[in-house]
């Protein structure tokens, strides 16, 4: 019902900012909650941020709260993750995900649709 494509990753230094984008195709994007996950080498994929389908409610992992901001523009079928004050421990492949829900989704079991991922590397 929806296809997702991430973009905006790159190589930056500690303290820099990046903005990731998630372009969605499909006619039902506005009915889906969305979330961002990340996976570092040798580690499990972990939750980063989530947003409900209208964009009015958000949730963040403790490790990124206060530094990252999740948002969406349903008129443009896009989602975004603004990342500020980046640290080396933020280095990972970042994935956009979506699933039908009336509220914020944080569990992978509720997110059947995933993008291909975009690499973020933060050097010291």
């Amino acid at each position: 019902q929806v296809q997702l494509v991430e973009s905006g990753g790159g190589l930056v230094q500690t303290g820099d900012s990046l903005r990731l984008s998630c372009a969605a195709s499909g006619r039902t994007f506005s009915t889906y909650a969305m979330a961002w996950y990340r996976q570092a080498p040798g580690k499990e994929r972990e939750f980063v941020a989530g947003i409900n389908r209208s964009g009015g409610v958000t949730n963040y992992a403790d490790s990124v709260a206060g530094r990252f901001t999740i948002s969406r523009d349903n008129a443009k079928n896009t989602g975004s993750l603004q990342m500020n004050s980046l640290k080396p421990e933020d280095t990972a492949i970042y994935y956009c995900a979506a699933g039908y829900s009336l509220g914020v989704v944080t569990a992978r079991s509720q997110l059947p649709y995933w993008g291909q991922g975009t690499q973020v590397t933060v050097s010291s």
Side-chain angles (χ1 to χ4, degrees), residues 66-103:
R67 298 188 297 120
F68 291 9
T69 302
I70 186 172
S71 62
R72 67 192 298 162
D73 187 340
N74 289 341
K76 298 180 179 179
N77 283 353
T78 59
S80 296
L81 183 68
Q82 177 66 44
M83 305 185 296
N84 298 327
S85 301
L86 284 164
K87 307 174 181 179
E89 49 263 47
D90 295 318
T91 295
I93 300 175
Y94 283 72
Y95 297 89
C96 178
Y100 179 79
S101 177
L102 297 178

Side-chain angles (χ1 to χ4, degrees), residues 18-92:
L18 277 177
R19 186 176 181 87
L20 306 183
S21 295
C22 177
S25 62
R27 303 179 66 181
T28 59
F29 178 69
S30 63
T31 70
Y32 286 82
M34 64 166 292
W36 290 90
Y37 277 70
R38 66 187 182 186
Q39 187 167 22
K43 300 182 66 176
E44 296 292 325
R45 191 168 300 187
E46 65 177 355
F47 171 79
V48 176
I51 189 167
N52 75 328
R53 63 185 187 178
S54 69
V57 184
T58 58
N59 190 31
Y60 298 92
D62 290 342
S63 59
V64 306
R67 298 188 297 120
F68 291 9
T69 302
I70 186 172
S71 62
R72 67 192 298 162
D73 187 340
N74 289 341
K76 298 180 179 179
N77 283 353
T78 59
S80 296
L81 183 68
Q82 177 66 44
M83 305 185 296
N84 298 327
S85 301
L86 284 164
K87 307 174 181 179
E89 49 263 47
D90 295 318
T91 295

